[in-house]
Amino acid sequence: MADSPELDNVEPSCTAEEHSPERSPRPFVDDASLERASRLFRAIGEPSRLRILSRLAQGEMCVTELAASEGESLSTISQRLRVLRSENIIVRRRRGKHINYGLADQHVMDLVFNALAHATERPAAVKDRRGDSESD
C-alpha cells in the first residue's frame, strides 16, 4: 500500500493503555534470529541469485548446468552459489564426479515461490478518501 502524505502527519488516536494486555508487543524472535533472517533476505534479494534459486526450485543442478542456463561463466555461478550456501539457502550433494546443488529445504522453496508470486500479482486498488479506487 502506498504511503499517503495526509497519513504521514496524523497523530495516533489511541494510547497504549487503551489496548488489552494480550495485545501488548512481545518479542517474536530473538535478535540473532532476526539477523540471520536479514542475511537470508540480502542473499536472496539479488536478481541473479534469485534466478538461480528459481531454477533450483525445479530440481537439483550442477554448476555447469547452471552456467549454461544462465549464460554465465563457471566462476560467476560459483560465486553466487557460495553466497547462497553460506546462508544455508542451498545445499550440495556429490553424485559421482558431479556436485549438484539444490534448495536447502521446503522453507526456502516456499520463500522463492511466494516472493515470485507476490511480485507477479496485480496490486490491489487503493481506496482514496471518497471511497473511489485509484485504478478507476
Side-chain angles (χ1 to χ4, degrees):
M1 186 161 120
D3 290 329
S4 168
E6 299 89 29
L7 295 179
D8 289 340
N9 297 324
V10 175
E11 291 295 319
S13 60
C14 61
T15 65
E17 292 79 27
E18 294 178 74
H19 298 282
S20 66
E22 299 87 43
R23 289 187 40 132
S24 65
R26 288 183 285 271
F28 179 66
V29 294
D30 58 62
D31 288 343
S33 296
L34 288 171
E35 179 59 34
R36 282 192 303 273
S38 177
R39 286 194 320 263
L40 178 132
F41 280 115
R42 276 194 298 270
I44 291 174
E46 202 275 319
S48 59
R49 290 192 294 259
L50 184 57
R51 191 171 35 254
I52 287 173
L53 292 174
S54 70
R55 291 190 190 283
L56 294 177
Q58 299 170 31
E60 290 185 351
M61 297 176 83
C62 74
V63 177
T64 306
E65 292 171 305
L66 287 166
S69 66
E70 292 291 303
E72 298 275 359
S73 71
L74 290 173
S75 63
T76 299
I77 297 298
S78 293
Q79 286 290 335
R80 292 178 183 151
L81 292 171
R82 183 187 54 77
V83 170
L84 296 169
R85 233 180 115 237
S86 71
E87 297 303 331
N88 299 312
I89 298 169
I90 61 170
V91 294
R92 63 184 180 181
R93 184 176 60 82
R94 181 172 290 281
R95 192 186 72 198
K97 295 188 320 183
H98 295 277
I99 296 177
N100 284 345
Y101 291 86
L103 299 181
D105 56 37
Q106 187 63 43
H107 295 111
V108 175
M109 175 95 61
D110 294 343
L111 259 174
V112 170
F113 284 144
N114 285 330
L116 294 173
H118 182 72
T120 58
E121 72 184 11
R122 186 168 179 243
V126 178
K127 301 279 183 180
D128 67 13
R129 289 180 172 247
R130 296 171 305 200
D132 299 330
S133 74
E134 288 181 1
S135 63
D136 290 344

